[in-house]
Amino acid sequence: MPTPRKFEPHYRRIIADIRRRVASGEWPPGHKLPSTKELAELYDVGSHSTVRQAITILIETGELYGHQGLGVFVAE
């Protein structure tokens, strides 16, 4: 019998990919992230709240920062 795959919440998949893009230099410090809508389309999630949850966690850990009205950016 095959081993069942563990379900990984979408927000964790998004966090992992954003971290990968930052680590690879694709999104360097100061880079403005795409809009929540664009990220939802990129990660194929129907809910913008899933993307916001991932971004909130990365802001709380100091990996991203937001400026109201300007967007979310990669931290130094």
Side-chain angles (χ1 to χ4, degrees), residues 40-70:
E41 291 172 4
L42 174 68
Y43 295 115
D44 195 25
V45 293
S47 172
H48 294 209
S49 65
T50 301
V51 173
R52 281 194 288 277
Q53 182 179 13
I55 289 172
T56 298
I57 290 169
L58 291 169
I59 288 172
E60 289 173 351
T61 61
E63 296 167 77
L64 301 177
Y65 64 95
H67 281 290
Q68 189 169 0
L70 295 177

Side-chain angles (χ1 to χ4, degrees), residues 5-73:
R5 295 184 69 169
K6 280 181 98 175
F7 172 76
E8 181 178 27
H10 293 301
Y11 77 92
R12 286 191 182 169
R13 181 174 53 90
I14 294 167
I15 289 171
D17 189 65
I18 290 173
R19 285 178 172 155
R20 180 192 62 77
R21 290 172 187 261
V22 170
S24 74
E26 181 180 349
W27 289 354
H31 176 83
K32 181 180 178 185
L33 270 62
S35 71
T36 303
K37 179 182 177 191
E38 291 168 328
L39 288 171
E41 291 172 4
L42 174 68
Y43 295 115
D44 195 25
V45 293
S47 172
H48 294 209
S49 65
T50 301
V51 173
R52 281 194 288 277
Q53 182 179 13
I55 289 172
T56 298
I57 290 169
L58 291 169
I59 288 172
E60 289 173 351
T61 61
E63 296 167 77
L64 301 177
Y65 64 95
H67 281 290
Q68 189 169 0
L70 295 177
V72 177
F73 300 84

